[in-house]
Every structure is written in structure tokens, then in C-alpha cells.
């Protein structure tokens, strides 16, 4: 970071508050030689005496019209942010129209945002008191302890562990700092002594304790680049083409079919960057994926690899952040979207694996950034990898904005799975369905399990049933705070709102008509698990959804058990579709394709195709061709045929024609404008007023306001406006107008508690 020879008098500070811009403070004379851009400071703000902020700029431009308060305290000896990160924060703030304070809130681990947030982990060590650090004194000590055998044993054990028992060490010139350090725990384990015994030795002045900061991070072992596998001819060809593409394009799309060996190509690219002294960021959309990929990367890169995502403790994330600022940072970071905020001193390449996944987009709270776009702004080289590219990335590769490299064959020549379509509507008419399972699906799963193979059942709804209904009058329990029906979780015996998390007891009778005939409608993963256990009592079943994966350990256990064969039938939501690599899976069942298709969103078909193609790719990955049973009530739908034939190009051509005709991405930019308020009448009036104002500037580019599919969440009524913008429009002017409209509306006292925010490039 740059230091300043001239004493600057003012600092612009970023505060984690939802207000636009930075805040200017005076720099006290005592701090003027020490303060630097990127340092944390404590400042007074409103009623708060000490709020943590980050210095964004130093200058001599005194603000006019108000008295400038001084910085209260410097929190760092050196900056915790690099200049590239500050530029990244500003870009996110500008592009996604979010206050930079919200960017700070998202970027920094909690321990770096609080006055007393992060506390290093310490461990207690034991050492000899100075008076006993010679041979004569040691003999005296041992004689003094002759009548206290437990203390004597502990003392001798310490001397042995540390090396102080070497006779004549003084004469050989052994210095204090050459003796081994001994932890209290190590000494107690070695000697079998108790803590009171050790405390007595400390009290007698023979031993003393001291604290040392220790890392929470996994050391990872020595790197072994020789363990990199030799690439196949197709992989080597893709590798060479990627390097050639990077000579001309900053961004390259690697479009490789499922199980084509993209990860192996990534690993060779990572090693190349390391050999050239550069760092790599490897982004994944799901924490679940890091478990398998981490094991593969750790075998090769060892201690060069760091892991960073939200399931790690805040203290671990702070330590990784600090390590990245140290002289010896990780060369490779593997993480979910938040890893894009880490400080990199010499970043050379970002790999965005499964780039099509919606998990890379932050939804709530602000900033609603996309990690893929942020990575492209961050690095000079970005590789986007997937079997099913997002329509935007595919379009960019076709128009020459991105480079394009394809891997069209699976590793070791294994065929893509066979996909058989089952018409569930016809089977239901003939009463041949067994709950959500077709006879064909059950037969193929049974055969797979009998052969010692594995199966995956995909159902993109969790819980027991998506809703409960009275059979007599049709009453459905709904959330008091949100405009949605409640999901039944039978094992917890509760109804849950999947929008606000509020839980309710399951009613024993209908409050509308008094009937006791209440039943669950539809199937969630919990119900699938129970029913499949009845059909296959010998199956070893695991379920992977949000309800079973609250912790990092839960993810790891489920994936480890299925990988090792301890479980052989995995039931899950979209988590199971995301690039997991299981050797023995021969059958995959997509239980209800229609639930993905019948959704009021212009991206519904795109997401459905990708999800079905990805989950299908889990079948038959090694050894032989797999089988996918795709159950749907619409077997004649063109999209279903395109999934069966793995016709991604045909699917894209169809969808791109529709997007162009109706002014949607990738041909037009989309911004959603959301308004929320406790009172529906107020949000309705405000949205109409805003819509009128925006039409004065943008004309027919403005759609709405309308109620979204879920029009009330957490007691707030919602309205949405849509702005469709041609790519040639001046986006800086657009943002300027939108911010002006926002300020004008929120300055009206009637809308004082109104929430208004923007979602740029929504998914």
C-alpha cells in the first residue's frame, strides 16, 4: 500500500451503514504519519461513539457547512485492504446500485467489522523459570521435588520434552530459544499429571506458563505437484486452447460435457500459475461441492490451498484474510462467492466452476452482486467452466466477447447417460403410479441396488409436503407474515414458512369447518425418503437438502458416506445436481420435471434445462453408461426432447430467439426495482408514483408496478417494477436517474419507512 510523506488532514471513511457515499473525518496530528488507505479506524457516528470504518481516501479538502469530527482511533498497524479491493468495492457499489457500506458489510468477516470482534486462538505453553535454567539449579529442583513424586514426574517429563535434560548443555552453548516449546496439554498427556499438579510447580517458581497465538487453519501438508494426473488427449487439447485463448481474451468459456474431466484441466492451469508466481481463486457455487474438490486439490497443492466460505467460523475466515495479507499467503483459494472479496497480492487466474449456477448471485441483503461478474472485474484472466453455460456466457462466446473452448467427450470415453421419459399423467390415469414413483423408476432403482450400485432421486422441494389442505372445505394454512402456504415438516411435527423461517404447530382440525381430515398435498424430500424406505427396506438412504445440511460437518458427512458406499440411495434437492462426482451411481430419477417448468419467470426454462442436464450427469460417470428416468406430465414438450438429446445448442437457439423478441437478456439489460412497506396501500401508491416518474425518463422501457408471485414477506407488502434497457444505453445516466427518483420518493414524509432497492441483472 502507498504511504504518504505529506501529512493529510482529512480521511474519507467507509462505514457499514446503508447510506450512500463515504464520510469525512479530521485526522488528529498524532495519527497523520501513521494513517493509510485501507486501515480500519474507530469513528463517532450519530449516537455511536465508536463505529468501525475503513479509510478509503486521504486528502486536504476541508468539507464546508459542518464541523468535521476527528478519527477516534487507528485499529491497525498496516492496511487490511489492498487498493485493488477498494476499487472492487467501488465498482460493486456503482454497478449494483448499493451503498458502499453494504459492500463493506458483505466483504469483511464479522471479526474485522467489530471493535472487539476477532480474538486470536491462544494455547498455553510451559517453560522453565529463569532461575532454574542451569544444570546446578535443575539438580536442586529435582532434590526439592523428591517428596512430591507426582510433581517430580511432571517436571522430569517437561525436561525430556523440552531438551533441558541434556547433561552439559550449558557447556555446549545451547541457547534458551533452541529448546523445544512444550504445550501444557502435551505435557499433561505425556506425563499423565493433572492441572493442579502443574499449578503447584508454577506456584513453586520452577515452571511458568505463557500464551502463544496459534492458527485455526489446517496446514494441509506438503504440496505434491507430481501427483497431477496426465491429461487425456482431449484434456490436453482443451488446456492448450485455453492458454491460447487467454492471449487474446480476458475471459474464456470452457464448455465441457458432464464428467469430461474439467477439474483436471483446472488443476494443471493452477499449477502453471503457481509455477509462475501467481495466485488462483477457484470459485464454486455450493459449499457442498468444496468437500469433494478440496480433497482432490489438497492431495496436489497441500498447504498452498486455503478454503473460504460461510460455513467456516468467523475466526477462521479472519485468519485466512490475515494470511492473504501476509508475506506467505495461500497460492490457491477454494471458496464460494464470498471468496471473491479476499485480498490477493498477485492474482493471476480466477476459475468460476459451474458458472451457470444461480448460487453465484447474492439475493438478500444488498449488495446483490454476481460473483462471476465481480471476478471478471477483478482478474486479468477468468475461466468459466460448465456443462450448461448460462445464456449470457454462451451468447458472449458466440459473439466473440469471450473465448470458447469445448470438451465434447467424457473422460475415458464413457457415454452420456441414456434418458428415458415417463408420462406420469398417463400412468396416473391408469392408476399405475406408486405415489411419486413410476413402475419403471422403481424397477431400475431396485436393479441398481441389487447390483451393488447407487441411485439418486431428485425432487426440488424439501419438507414432507409443500402444503396442507382440508379435504372438506379446501382450507390451507398460510404464514401470518408472508403470502405463502406453509410447508409440512412431519419429523419436527411443525409447519414452516420457507420465506421467513417462522414455525407453527400442526392443527388437529380445520379452523374453518372443524373437519379433522387434514392432509399433505404434494411431495417433499422428507416424504420421498420415508416412502422409498418402505419400498426398499434394505437401502441405506441419505437425504441432502437445507434441512439436513445446516453445518459444514453435515455436508461433509453426507457426501463422504455416499462416496464411500456407506449409503447407496441419495435423495435431494438441487444440491445433488451441482457437479458432485460419485463413481457408482448408475440410476438417477428426476421425480417431477414440471415443478421446474411451471414457474412465472423468464428464466424458468433455462434453469430447468440446466438442472435436469446437470442432475442427469451424475449417472454413469465411471465404468459404464448410466440411466436417467425423467418423470413429467408434459413428455411432448420441446425442452424435454432437448434434454433427452443433450441438445444444448438447439435449446439455446430456441431460447435466444424468444429473448430477442421480448427484450430480455442477453440482448437487453434488466433492473428490478422493489418497494416494500408494512401497509399495502402505501406501497401501492408509492410504486404507482415511482412508475409514473420513471416513465417520464425511460418511456416504454418501464414495466409495472406489479405484485410479485409472493407479494408479502416478513409482514412487508411488495411491489416490483422492471426496467428493460438496450445495451447501447448510457448506464451511468440510468443510475443517476434511478438514484434521483429514489431520493425524491423517500424524501416524501409519507414514505419515510418505505424500503426501495435495486436488483441489477437479476436471476
Amino acid at each position: 500500500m502507498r504511504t504518504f510523506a505529506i501529512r493529510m488532514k482529512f480521511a474519507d471513511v467507509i462505514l457499514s451503514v446503508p447510506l450512500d457515499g463515504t464520510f469525512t473525518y479530521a485526522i488528529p496530528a498524532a495519527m497523520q504519519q501513521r494513517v493509510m488507505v485501507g486501515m480500519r479506524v474507530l469513528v463517532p457516528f450519530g449516537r455511536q461513539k465508536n463505529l468501525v470504518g475503513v479509510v478509503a481516501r486521504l486528502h486536504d479538502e476541508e468539507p464546508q457547512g459542518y464541523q468535521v469530527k476527528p478519527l477516534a482511533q487507528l485499529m491497525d498497524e498496516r492496511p487490511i485492504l489492498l487498493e485493488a479491493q477498494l476499487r472492487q468495492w467501488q465498482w460493486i457499489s456503482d454497478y449494483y446500485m448499493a451503498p458502499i457500506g453494504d459492500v463493506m458489510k458483505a466483504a469483511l468477516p464479522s471479526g474485522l467489522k467489530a471493535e472487539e470482534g476477532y480474538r486470536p486462538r491462544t494455547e498455553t505453553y510451559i517453560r522453565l523459570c529463569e532461575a532454574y535454567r542451569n544444570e546446578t539449579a535443575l539438580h536442586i529442583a529435582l532434590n526439592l521435588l523428591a517428596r512430591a513424586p507426582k510433581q517430580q514426574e511432571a517436571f522430569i517429563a517437561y525436561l525430556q520434552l523440552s531438551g533441558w535434560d541434556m547433561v552439559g548443555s550449558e557447556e555446549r552453548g545451547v541457547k534458551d530459544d533452541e529448546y523445544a516449546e512444550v504445550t501444557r496439554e502435551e505435557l499433561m498427556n505425556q506425563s499423565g499429571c493433572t492441572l493442579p499438579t502443574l499449578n503447584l510447580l508454577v506456584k513453586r517458581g520452577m515452571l511458568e506458563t505463557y500464551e502463544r497465538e496459534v492458527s485455526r487453519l489446517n496446514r494441509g501438508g506438503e504440496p505434491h505437484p507430481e501427483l497431477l494426473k496426465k491429461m487425456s488427449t482431449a484434456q490436453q487439447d482443451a488446456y492448450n486452447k485455453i492458454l491460447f485463448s487467454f492471449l487474446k481474451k480476458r475471459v474464456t468459456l470452457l464448455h465441457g460435457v458432464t464428467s469430461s474431466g474439467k477439474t483436471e484441466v483446472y488443476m494443471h492451469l493452477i499449477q502453471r500459475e503457481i509455477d509462475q508466481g501467481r495466485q488462483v481463486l477457484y470459485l464454486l457455487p455450493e459449499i457442498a461441492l468444496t468437500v469433494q474438490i478440496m480433497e482432490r486439490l489438497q492431495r496436489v497443492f497441500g498447504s498452498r490451498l486455503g478454503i473460504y466460505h460461510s460455513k467456516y467460523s468467523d475466526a477462521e475466515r479472519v485468519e485466512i484474510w490475515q494470511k492473504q495479507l501476509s508475506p506467505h499467503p495461500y497460492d490457491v483459494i477454494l471458496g464460494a462467492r464470498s471468496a471473491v472479496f479476499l485480498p490477493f497480492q498477485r492474482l493471476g487466474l480466477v476459475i468460476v466452476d459451474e458458472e451457470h449456477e444461480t448460487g453465484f448471485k447474492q439475493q438478500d441483503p444488498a449488495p446483490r452482486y454476481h460473483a462471476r461478474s465481480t471476478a471478471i472485474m477483478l482478474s486479468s484472466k477468468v475461466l468459466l467452466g460448465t456443462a450448461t453455460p448460462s445464456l449470457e456466457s454462451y451468447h458472449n462466446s458466440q459473439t466473440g466477447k469471450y473465448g470458447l473452448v469445448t470438451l465434447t467427450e467424457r473422460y475415458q470415453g464413457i457415454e452420456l447417460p441414456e434418458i428415458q421419459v415417463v408420462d406420469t399423467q398417463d400412468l396416473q390415469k391408469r392408476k399405475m403410479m406408486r405415489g411419486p414413483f413410476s413402475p419403471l423408476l422403481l424397477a431400475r432403482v431396485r436393479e441398481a441396488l441389487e447390483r451393488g450400485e447407487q441411485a439418486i432421486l431428485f425432487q426440488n422441494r424439501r419438507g414432507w409436503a409443500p402444503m396442507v389442505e382440508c379435504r372438506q372445505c379446501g382450507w390451507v394454512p398460510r404464514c401470518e407474515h408472508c403470502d405463502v402456504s406453509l410447508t409440512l415438516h412431519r419429523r419436527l411435527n411443525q409447519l414452516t414458512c420457507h420465506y421467513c423461517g417462522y414455525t407453527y404447530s400442526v392443527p388437529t382440525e380445520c379452523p374453518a369447518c372443524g373437519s379433522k381430515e387434514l392432509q399433505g398435498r404434494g411431495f417433499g424430500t422428507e416424504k420421498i425418503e420415508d416412502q422409498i424406505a418402505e419400498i426398499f427396506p434394505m437401502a441405506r438412504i441419505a437425504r441432502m437438502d437445507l434441512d439436513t445440511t445446516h453445518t459444514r460437518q453435515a455436508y461433509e458427512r453426507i457426501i463422504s458416506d455416499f462416496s464411500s458406499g456407506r449409503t447407496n440411495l441419495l435423495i435431494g434437492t438441487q444440491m445433488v445436481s451441482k457437479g458432485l462426482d460419485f463413481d457408482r451411481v448408475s440410476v438417477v430419477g428426476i421425480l417431477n420435471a414440471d415443478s421446474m417448468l411451471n414457474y412465472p419467470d423468464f428464466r424458468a426454462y433455462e434453469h430447468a434445462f440446466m438442472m435436469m442436464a446437470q442432475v442427469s450427469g451424475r449417472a454413469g460417470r465411471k465404468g459404464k453408461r448410466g440411466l436417467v428416468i425423467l418423470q413429467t406430465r408434459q413428455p411432448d414438450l420441446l425442452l424435454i426432447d432437448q434434454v433427452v438429446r443433450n441438445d444444448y445448442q438447439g435449446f439455446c437457439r430456441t431460447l435466444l430467439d424468444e429473448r430477442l423478441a421480448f427484450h430480455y437478456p442477453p440482448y437487453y439489460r434488466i433492473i428490478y426495482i422493489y418497494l416494500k412497506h408494512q401497509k399495502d396501500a402505501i406501497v401501492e401508491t408509492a410504486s404507482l408514483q415511482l412508475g409514473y416518474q420513471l416513465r417520464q425518463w425511460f418511456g416504454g422501457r418501464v414495466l409495472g408496478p406489479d405484485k410479485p408471485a409472493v407479494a408479502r414477506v416478513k409482514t412487508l407488502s411488495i411491489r416490483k417494477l422492471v426496467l428493460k434497457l438496450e445495451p447501447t444505453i448510457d448506464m451511468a445516466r440510468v443510475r443517476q436517474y434511478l438514484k434521483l427518483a429514489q431520493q425524491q420518493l423517500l424524501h416524501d414524509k409519507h414514505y419515510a419507512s418505505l424500503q426501495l432497492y435495486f436488483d441489477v441483472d437479476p436471476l
Side-chain angles (χ1 to χ4, degrees), residues 53 56 63 165 181 225-227 243 271-272 412 422 457 460 514 554 563 589 604 626 675 686:
D165 65 332
E181 290 191 293
E226 71 279 2
L227 294 180
L243 294 181
Q271 187 61 51
R272 185 177 187 275
Q412 296 181 337
V422 173
L457 298 181
N460 206 27
S563 295
L675 299 94

Side-chain angles (χ1 to χ4, degrees), residues 638-672:
L638 176 60
L639 180 138
I640 299 296
D641 179 60
Q642 289 164 337
V643 170
V644 170
R645 292 185 291 107
N646 194 41
D647 183 13
Y648 176 80
Q649 279 77 18
F651 165 74
C652 281
R653 284 194 299 271
T654 304
L655 214 54
L656 284 171
D657 288 344
E658 291 180 9
R659 297 280 183 89
L660 180 59
F662 294 101
H663 294 186
Y664 280 112
Y667 301 105
Y668 282 72
R669 298 274 305 279
I670 298 287
I671 299 176
Y672 288 165

Side-chain angles (χ1 to χ4, degrees), residues 157-171:
Y158 167 77
L159 297 178
Q160 292 170 340
L161 287 169
S162 64
W164 273 102
D165 65 332
M166 295 189 302
V167 178
S169 58
E170 277 182 298
E171 289 74 10

Side-chain angles (χ1 to χ4, degrees), residues 43 56 72-73 79-80 188-189 227 265 314-315 332 362 366 417 457 483 514 541 543 560 578 730 737:
V43 298
Q73 183 184 328
I80 63 149
M188 290 169 67
N189 289 338
L227 294 180
V265 176
D314 188 71
V332 188
Q362 166 77 9
L457 298 181
D483 189 17
I541 300 169
R543 173 163 57 95
S560 172
K578 298 179 188 294
D730 182 349
Y737 282 134

Side-chain angles (χ1 to χ4, degrees), residues 483-510:
D483 189 17
V484 290
S485 58
L486 297 168
T487 300
L488 174 62
H489 291 256
R490 203 167 83 167
R491 289 186 186 175
L492 298 172
N493 193 34
Q494 65 186 26
L495 296 167
T496 302
C497 174
H498 287 173
Y499 280 80
C500 70
Y502 205 81
T503 59
Y504 303 80
S505 58
V506 180
T508 55
E509 62 179 43
C510 174

Side-chain angles (χ1 to χ4, degrees), residues 234 255-257 260 406-410 416 646:
H255 183 188
V257 297
S260 57
T406 57
L407 258 173
T408 56
E409 63 182 58
R410 280 185 150 194
L416 285 167
N646 194 41

